[in-house]
Each structure stands twice: as C-alpha cells, then as structure tokens.
Short mmCIF file of all heavy atoms in Angstrom, two decimals:
data_model
loop_
_atom_site.label_atom_id
_atom_site.label_comp_id
_atom_site.label_asym_id
_atom_site.label_seq_id
_atom_site.Cartn_x
_atom_site.Cartn_y
_atom_site.Cartn_z
N ARG A 1 -2.99 4.12 -12.04
CA ARG A 1 -4.34 4.13 -11.45
C ARG A 1 -4.71 2.79 -10.84
O ARG A 1 -5.68 2.68 -10.10
CB ARG A 1 -5.39 4.49 -12.52
CG ARG A 1 -5.06 5.74 -13.31
CD ARG A 1 -4.97 6.97 -12.43
NE ARG A 1 -4.64 8.16 -13.21
CZ ARG A 1 -4.26 9.30 -12.68
NH1 ARG A 1 -4.15 9.42 -11.36
NH2 ARG A 1 -3.98 10.34 -13.45
N ARG A 2 -3.92 1.77 -11.17
CA ARG A 2 -4.17 0.41 -10.67
C ARG A 2 -2.85 -0.22 -10.28
O ARG A 2 -1.83 -0.04 -10.96
CB ARG A 2 -4.84 -0.43 -11.77
CG ARG A 2 -4.85 -1.93 -11.50
CD ARG A 2 -5.23 -2.70 -12.76
NE ARG A 2 -4.91 -4.13 -12.62
CZ ARG A 2 -5.74 -5.04 -12.16
NH1 ARG A 2 -6.98 -4.69 -11.82
NH2 ARG A 2 -5.37 -6.31 -12.07
N LEU A 3 -2.84 -0.94 -9.19
CA LEU A 3 -1.68 -1.72 -8.78
C LEU A 3 -2.02 -3.20 -8.93
O LEU A 3 -2.99 -3.68 -8.35
CB LEU A 3 -1.30 -1.42 -7.33
CG LEU A 3 -0.72 -0.03 -7.06
CD1 LEU A 3 -0.58 0.20 -5.56
CD2 LEU A 3 0.63 0.16 -7.75
N ASP A 4 -1.23 -3.90 -9.73
CA ASP A 4 -1.45 -5.33 -9.87
C ASP A 4 -1.04 -6.08 -8.62
O ASP A 4 -1.57 -7.15 -8.33
CB ASP A 4 -0.69 -5.85 -11.09
CG ASP A 4 -1.20 -5.22 -12.37
OD1 ASP A 4 -2.27 -5.65 -12.85
OD2 ASP A 4 -0.56 -4.29 -12.86
N ARG A 5 -0.10 -5.48 -7.88
CA ARG A 5 0.29 -6.08 -6.59
C ARG A 5 0.84 -5.00 -5.69
O ARG A 5 1.62 -4.14 -6.12
CB ARG A 5 1.34 -7.17 -6.81
CG ARG A 5 1.50 -8.13 -5.62
CD ARG A 5 2.08 -9.44 -6.10
NE ARG A 5 2.05 -10.46 -5.07
CZ ARG A 5 2.22 -11.76 -5.31
NH1 ARG A 5 2.42 -12.19 -6.55
NH2 ARG A 5 2.20 -12.64 -4.33
N LEU A 6 0.42 -5.03 -4.44
CA LEU A 6 0.97 -4.16 -3.40
C LEU A 6 1.63 -5.07 -2.37
O LEU A 6 0.98 -5.95 -1.80
CB LEU A 6 -0.14 -3.34 -2.75
CG LEU A 6 0.25 -2.52 -1.52
CD1 LEU A 6 1.33 -1.49 -1.84
CD2 LEU A 6 -0.98 -1.83 -0.91
N ILE A 7 2.93 -4.87 -2.16
CA ILE A 7 3.66 -5.64 -1.17
C ILE A 7 3.96 -4.74 0.02
O ILE A 7 4.55 -3.66 -0.14
CB ILE A 7 4.97 -6.21 -1.74
CG1 ILE A 7 4.65 -7.17 -2.90
CG2 ILE A 7 5.77 -6.93 -0.66
CD1 ILE A 7 5.89 -7.76 -3.56
N LEU A 8 3.54 -5.15 1.19
CA LEU A 8 3.81 -4.42 2.44
C LEU A 8 4.79 -5.26 3.24
O LEU A 8 4.43 -6.31 3.77
CB LEU A 8 2.50 -4.19 3.20
CG LEU A 8 1.45 -3.38 2.42
CD1 LEU A 8 0.08 -3.49 3.07
CD2 LEU A 8 1.87 -1.92 2.31
N SER A 9 6.03 -4.81 3.27
CA SER A 9 7.10 -5.66 3.80
C SER A 9 6.83 -6.11 5.23
O SER A 9 6.99 -7.29 5.55
CB SER A 9 8.45 -4.94 3.71
OG SER A 9 8.47 -3.77 4.51
N HIS A 10 6.40 -5.19 6.08
CA HIS A 10 6.09 -5.53 7.47
C HIS A 10 5.31 -4.37 8.09
O HIS A 10 5.14 -3.31 7.47
CB HIS A 10 7.36 -5.83 8.26
CG HIS A 10 8.28 -4.65 8.41
ND1 HIS A 10 8.88 -4.02 7.35
CD2 HIS A 10 8.67 -3.96 9.51
CE1 HIS A 10 9.62 -3.02 7.78
NE2 HIS A 10 9.50 -2.94 9.09
N HIS A 11 4.85 -4.57 9.31
CA HIS A 11 3.93 -3.62 9.94
C HIS A 11 4.68 -2.58 10.77
O HIS A 11 4.69 -2.60 11.99
CB HIS A 11 2.93 -4.38 10.83
CG HIS A 11 1.86 -3.50 11.41
ND1 HIS A 11 1.15 -2.59 10.67
CD2 HIS A 11 1.38 -3.41 12.68
CE1 HIS A 11 0.28 -1.97 11.45
NE2 HIS A 11 0.40 -2.44 12.68
N ASP A 12 5.35 -1.66 10.06
CA ASP A 12 5.96 -0.49 10.68
C ASP A 12 5.44 0.73 9.94
O ASP A 12 5.30 0.71 8.71
CB ASP A 12 7.49 -0.54 10.58
CG ASP A 12 8.13 -1.28 11.75
OD1 ASP A 12 7.40 -1.64 12.69
OD2 ASP A 12 9.35 -1.51 11.71
N ASN A 13 5.21 1.82 10.67
CA ASN A 13 4.58 3.00 10.09
C ASN A 13 5.35 3.57 8.91
O ASN A 13 4.76 4.09 7.96
CB ASN A 13 4.44 4.08 11.18
CG ASN A 13 3.79 5.34 10.65
OD1 ASN A 13 2.65 5.31 10.18
ND2 ASN A 13 4.51 6.45 10.71
N ASP A 14 6.68 3.46 8.93
CA ASP A 14 7.47 4.03 7.84
C ASP A 14 7.45 3.15 6.58
O ASP A 14 8.00 3.53 5.55
CB ASP A 14 8.90 4.31 8.28
CG ASP A 14 9.59 3.11 8.90
OD1 ASP A 14 8.89 2.19 9.36
OD2 ASP A 14 10.83 3.09 8.94
N HIS A 15 6.81 1.99 6.69
CA HIS A 15 6.68 1.10 5.54
C HIS A 15 5.24 0.89 5.10
O HIS A 15 5.00 0.61 3.93
CB HIS A 15 7.32 -0.26 5.86
CG HIS A 15 8.81 -0.19 5.99
ND1 HIS A 15 9.68 -0.60 5.00
CD2 HIS A 15 9.60 0.27 6.99
CE1 HIS A 15 10.93 -0.40 5.39
NE2 HIS A 15 10.91 0.12 6.60
N ASP A 16 4.30 0.97 6.01
CA ASP A 16 2.90 0.74 5.64
C ASP A 16 1.96 1.86 6.09
O ASP A 16 0.74 1.76 5.92
CB ASP A 16 2.40 -0.60 6.20
CG ASP A 16 2.26 -0.60 7.72
OD1 ASP A 16 2.61 0.40 8.38
OD2 ASP A 16 1.79 -1.62 8.27
N GLY A 17 2.51 2.96 6.62
CA GLY A 17 1.66 4.05 7.12
C GLY A 17 0.82 4.69 6.03
O GLY A 17 -0.25 5.25 6.28
N GLY A 18 1.30 4.64 4.77
CA GLY A 18 0.57 5.24 3.66
C GLY A 18 -0.40 4.29 2.98
O GLY A 18 -0.93 4.61 1.90
N PHE A 19 -0.66 3.13 3.59
CA PHE A 19 -1.53 2.12 2.98
C PHE A 19 -2.89 2.69 2.59
O PHE A 19 -3.36 2.51 1.46
CB PHE A 19 -1.70 0.95 3.96
CG PHE A 19 -2.72 -0.07 3.54
CD1 PHE A 19 -2.47 -0.93 2.49
CD2 PHE A 19 -3.94 -0.17 4.19
CE1 PHE A 19 -3.40 -1.88 2.10
CE2 PHE A 19 -4.89 -1.10 3.80
CZ PHE A 19 -4.61 -1.97 2.75
N GLN A 20 -3.53 3.41 3.49
CA GLN A 20 -4.86 3.95 3.21
C GLN A 20 -4.82 4.99 2.10
O GLN A 20 -5.65 4.99 1.19
CB GLN A 20 -5.46 4.57 4.47
CG GLN A 20 -6.97 4.80 4.40
CD GLN A 20 -7.75 3.50 4.28
OE1 GLN A 20 -7.54 2.56 5.05
NE2 GLN A 20 -8.64 3.43 3.31
N ALA A 21 -3.82 5.88 2.14
CA ALA A 21 -3.71 6.93 1.13
C ALA A 21 -3.47 6.35 -0.25
O ALA A 21 -4.04 6.82 -1.25
CB ALA A 21 -2.59 7.90 1.50
N VAL A 22 -2.65 5.32 -0.33
CA VAL A 22 -2.32 4.70 -1.62
C VAL A 22 -3.52 3.95 -2.20
O VAL A 22 -3.77 3.99 -3.41
CB VAL A 22 -1.10 3.77 -1.49
CG1 VAL A 22 -0.96 2.86 -2.70
CG2 VAL A 22 0.17 4.59 -1.30
N THR A 23 -4.27 3.26 -1.34
CA THR A 23 -5.36 2.41 -1.82
C THR A 23 -6.67 3.16 -2.02
O THR A 23 -7.55 2.68 -2.73
CB THR A 23 -5.59 1.23 -0.87
OG1 THR A 23 -5.84 1.72 0.47
CG2 THR A 23 -4.38 0.31 -0.84
N ASP A 24 -6.83 4.34 -1.42
CA ASP A 24 -8.05 5.12 -1.62
C ASP A 24 -8.18 5.54 -3.08
O ASP A 24 -7.32 6.22 -3.63
CB ASP A 24 -8.03 6.38 -0.73
CG ASP A 24 -8.49 6.10 0.69
OD1 ASP A 24 -8.97 4.98 0.95
OD2 ASP A 24 -8.37 6.99 1.55
N GLY A 25 -9.26 5.11 -3.73
CA GLY A 25 -9.50 5.50 -5.11
C GLY A 25 -8.61 4.82 -6.13
O GLY A 25 -8.57 5.22 -7.29
N ARG A 26 -7.87 3.80 -5.71
CA ARG A 26 -6.97 3.09 -6.63
C ARG A 26 -7.25 1.59 -6.52
O ARG A 26 -7.32 1.03 -5.43
CB ARG A 26 -5.51 3.37 -6.26
CG ARG A 26 -4.50 3.01 -7.35
CD ARG A 26 -3.07 3.29 -6.88
NE ARG A 26 -2.98 4.56 -6.18
CZ ARG A 26 -2.82 5.73 -6.77
NH1 ARG A 26 -2.73 5.79 -8.08
NH2 ARG A 26 -2.75 6.85 -6.06
N THR A 27 -7.41 0.94 -7.64
CA THR A 27 -7.65 -0.50 -7.65
C THR A 27 -6.36 -1.24 -7.30
O THR A 27 -5.31 -0.97 -7.87
CB THR A 27 -8.14 -0.97 -9.03
OG1 THR A 27 -9.34 -0.26 -9.36
CG2 THR A 27 -8.43 -2.46 -9.04
#
C-alpha cells in the first residue's frame, strides 16, 4: 500500500507509462 521508494529509470512509456496508475491511492 506504500512505496518507500519509486525509481523511474528513464522517460520511456514502457518504463514510466504506469506512473499515474501506480501512484494513485498509494503513498
């Protein structure tokens, strides 16, 4: 329910496209 750290390797859709879905409702 909580991520102590989220690492986004770089700005490509197949690596960070789910950023919003993962962070919605999750600390």
Side-chain angles (χ1 to χ4, degrees):
R1 309 299 179 193
R2 166 193 165 91
L3 290 172
D4 297 282
R5 197 157 189 164
L6 172 61
I7 298 178
L8 300 165
S9 63
H10 65 297
H11 186 47
D12 272 353
N13 180 61
D14 53 339
H15 292 258
D16 69 357
F19 172 72
Q20 196 65 49
V22 165
T23 56
D24 277 352
R26 195 182 317 275
T27 302

